[in-house]
Amino acid sequence: GFMYKLLLLLCLFAHAGRAQQKDSVPAVAGSNIFKRTSFAVIPILAYNRSYGTSAGVLLNAFTKLSATDQKSPPSRSSVGFGYTQNKSWFAMATQRLYINEDKWRVFWALGLGKSNFQFFEETDDMGNGVFVNYQTHARFFTTNVMYNIGGRWYAGLKYQFSTSTTEFDIENKPDETTRLSSWGIPVAFDNRDYVYYPAKGVIANLLLSDNAKWLGSDVAFTTFSVNVNHFISLKNKAILASRFFNYLGIGEVPFIGQKVVGGKDLRGYTKGTYRSDKVMALQTEYRYNFYKKWGMVAFAGIASAFKYNGISGSGLLPAGGAGIRYQILPKQKMNIGVDVAAGKDDWGIYFRIGEAF
């Protein structure tokens, strides 16, 4: 059936991606930065009930910026493209730089795309309602610069700009065009043993962000988000990973500024039913390498989209699932894989590049 074909394609893609990594220039010390760079081409394949089948490609370059820097992880540059069965699409480029013995961390990303999705609109006080389709055309740019302020603590500045136009397939809801321009203060604590596949340690991120009209935003609102990932090394090279996520929007939060329950924060929700200015999620995942480059994961969690603007809250939303992994880039300890997850009246299949968190 479908799952058998998906796993077969995963194996073929894993073999192709591994061949690309082997044929690339090895990452060795030297004055020529290209000799310290390895390349990988990773196909993307996924499926969920809202977007249907998704296909694309991710081009990666991993670079040691300095031949004498023994502390900084390899920097990563990526370009990705994707298209879905329901005619959504995206194109984006990202770069994450680790500089000067990991004292500086610089991230930037830009992209554009179209999303054909849906949201749930209540029609009475009993929580009944209908799904409303919408189409969002968006483009964005974001950058984040952080400096090591002592120990494993980092702090810095963030800027993000985006424009979006959302068209709703309902007569009484007008189209919404929104330009957002925000600055923020990110703070992080990171004592993980390796950034791309940690076996132990903690990464905690806190971000206070202000969408300000003096910066060009159409609406003024503030967001506060925090996420904490914790990793514990177990026997037989197994890993217990946990993640806490909280998002809070304050002020006139537009439709595009709301969070939807799902994605990396709780797999198993793909229909866009639960969205809010206030979302919280908690999950735990068991990771185990059972044969050479092959591994598996099992995960479970809960989330909640809290009440806002007269819309009732979701209550507790449970989810759980399992997946398979293949180590496609041994030097970077990077896996690809497939997860299957189920939530409350929802489910999804996820193709992974790296881990969920």
Side-chain angles (χ1 to χ4, degrees), residues 8 24 27 39 64 76 102 210 239 271 277 324 327 331:
L8 179 61
S24 63
F39 301 90
K64 291 290 290 185
R76 178 181 179 182
D102 203 15
D210 180 37
I239 299 170
K271 296 192 297 184
D277 301 353
I324 191 168
Q327 192 176 72
K331 290 182 179 180

Side-chain angles (χ1 to χ4, degrees), residues 128-208:
N128 298 313
V130 295
F131 282 99
V132 177
N133 294 325
Y134 68 88
Q135 302 82 42
T136 296
H137 297 259
R139 56 182 180 174
F140 76 93
F141 169 77
T142 182
T143 185
N144 188 339
V145 179
M146 303 184 73
Y147 180 74
N148 180 239
I149 58 176
R152 300 306 300 167
W153 288 93
Y154 294 82
L157 290 174
K158 178 179 180 178
Y159 175 75
Q160 182 165 317
F161 176 84
S162 67
T163 61
S164 62
T165 299
T166 302
E167 302 172 359
F168 302 94
D169 293 348
I170 188 171
E171 292 183 359
N172 63 348
K173 196 171 184 63
D175 297 346
E176 187 175 294
T177 298
T178 306
R179 179 177 61 183
L180 298 178
S181 182
S182 69
W183 72 280
I185 301 174
V187 178
F189 174 82
D190 185 4
N191 67 354
R192 294 171 296 173
D193 57 342
Y194 189 62
V195 297
Y196 295 118
Y197 190 78
K200 58 183 178 180
V202 175
I203 171 70
N205 292 289
L206 181 150
L207 175 63
L208 181 64

Side-chain angles (χ1 to χ4, degrees), residues 297-332:
V297 300
F299 50 89
I302 56 173
S304 185
F306 295 90
K307 181 177 180 178
Y308 76 100
N309 293 342
I311 305 299
S312 61
S314 66
L316 291 180
L317 302 171
I324 191 168
R325 297 288 184 270
Y326 181 83
Q327 192 176 72
I328 189 172
L329 304 180
K331 290 182 179 180
Q332 288 77 32

Side-chain angles (χ1 to χ4, degrees), residues 291-302:
Y291 179 73
K292 294 183 178 180
K293 298 182 184 297
W294 290 94
M296 56 81 64
V297 300
F299 50 89
I302 56 173

Side-chain angles (χ1 to χ4, degrees), residues 206-227:
L206 181 150
L207 175 63
L208 181 64
S209 184
D210 180 37
N211 292 270
K213 290 190 175 181
W214 61 267
L215 269 178
S217 282
D218 292 334
V219 290
F221 66 101
T222 301
T223 64
F224 174 78
S225 62
V226 58
N227 62 75

Side-chain angles (χ1 to χ4, degrees), residues 66-119:
S66 170
T68 59
D69 187 343
Q70 300 300 315
K71 188 174 182 180
S72 296
S75 296
R76 178 181 179 182
S77 305
S78 302
V79 178
F81 312 89
Y83 189 80
T84 73
Q85 190 174 354
N86 78 342
K87 298 182 180 180
S88 299
W89 62 271
F90 76 90
M92 65 182 300
T94 68
Q95 190 171 55
R96 191 176 297 276
L97 305 175
Y98 299 92
I99 305 169
N100 190 14
E101 301 292 332
D102 203 15
K103 292 181 180 178
W104 289 92
R105 293 184 172 185
V106 179
F107 173 79
W108 65 263
L110 58 86
L112 69 163
K114 176 186 177 183
S115 175
N116 298 312
F117 200 42
Q118 61 187 9
F119 74 97

